Amino acid sequence: MGSPVILLDVDGVLNPLERPHRGFRRHRCSPRGVSYRLWLNAGHGRMLLDLAESTGAELTWASYWCEEANQWIAPLVGLPELPFVPIPWFPGPADGGTLGAWKARHVVAWAEGRPFAWFEDEPDAAGSVAAEPDSGEHLLVWVDPATGLDEGHIERAAEWLARLSG
């Protein structure tokens, strides 16, 4: 089975669409020469590191940012360099279905049966993970992209990971 994984999306999860409260600060970055304006909360790093430490789970990026998240996102939210799920760019509905289904396909293949809790904002990701034939135990914690990750999401993942370990 392997140790559990905590999967992190960036846009909509760590970077909500709007500033939900004063704990979020505006940042600009330009990965691959494309400019982005982000709302990030420096407190997220400590919350996620505490979750990983208390549950024995491994933090991993599960975002289109892939390795770029280590350079542009991790330092701003207080995370170290993390492994990442290699999610290729969405090819469009004809080849990829929906965004949630596309990401779920790559997440399940990467996890190789390891249990995972995934913080994700794509509304169909949970059903898409469950539909993948090789999906192991998982919890998809849906995050409202307007408000982003909060303590309630962390608590839900912590409870599930604690039950998983017995």
Side-chain angles (χ1 to χ4, degrees), residues 3-156:
S3 61
V5 182
I6 300 165
L7 299 170
L8 304 171
D9 186 22
V10 173
D11 294 318
V13 175
L14 295 180
N15 172 36
L17 298 174
E18 298 178 15
R19 185 182 192 189
H21 59 75
R22 297 179 71 92
F24 285 78
R25 300 283 181 257
R26 180 61 96 182
H27 298 277
R28 292 176 190 256
C29 65
S30 299
R32 298 184 190 126
V34 178
S35 293
Y36 294 93
R37 291 170 36 137
L38 310 170
W39 286 113
L40 298 173
N41 182 341
H44 279 151
R46 179 73 311 186
M47 289 171 40
L48 291 161
L49 289 170
D50 288 348
L51 174 63
E53 184 178 329
S54 69
T55 61
E58 175 186 358
L59 286 170
T60 300
W61 298 112
S63 168
Y64 285 118
W65 285 78
C66 293
E67 71 276 5
E68 299 285 344
N70 284 318
Q71 178 182 357
W72 298 99
I73 307 300
L76 298 173
V77 298
L79 290 173
E81 185 171 313
L82 303 175
F84 62 92
V85 176
I87 302 172
W89 286 105
F90 181 59
D95 294 323
T98 65
L99 282 170
W102 179 253
K103 287 176 79 173
R105 182 176 314 140
H106 293 284
V107 162
V108 169
W110 177 88
E112 296 182 322
R114 287 174 70 185
F116 60 86
W118 184 12
F119 296 110
E120 174 60 58
D121 67 314
E122 290 298 329
D124 69 323
S128 297
V129 168
E132 286 295 316
D134 297 327
S135 179
E137 290 188 72
H138 63 276
L139 170 70
L140 192 129
V141 180
W142 184 77
V143 177
D144 184 340
T147 57
L149 186 71
D150 64 29
E151 291 166 354
H153 299 117
I154 299 290
E155 290 169 8
R156 185 167 172 221

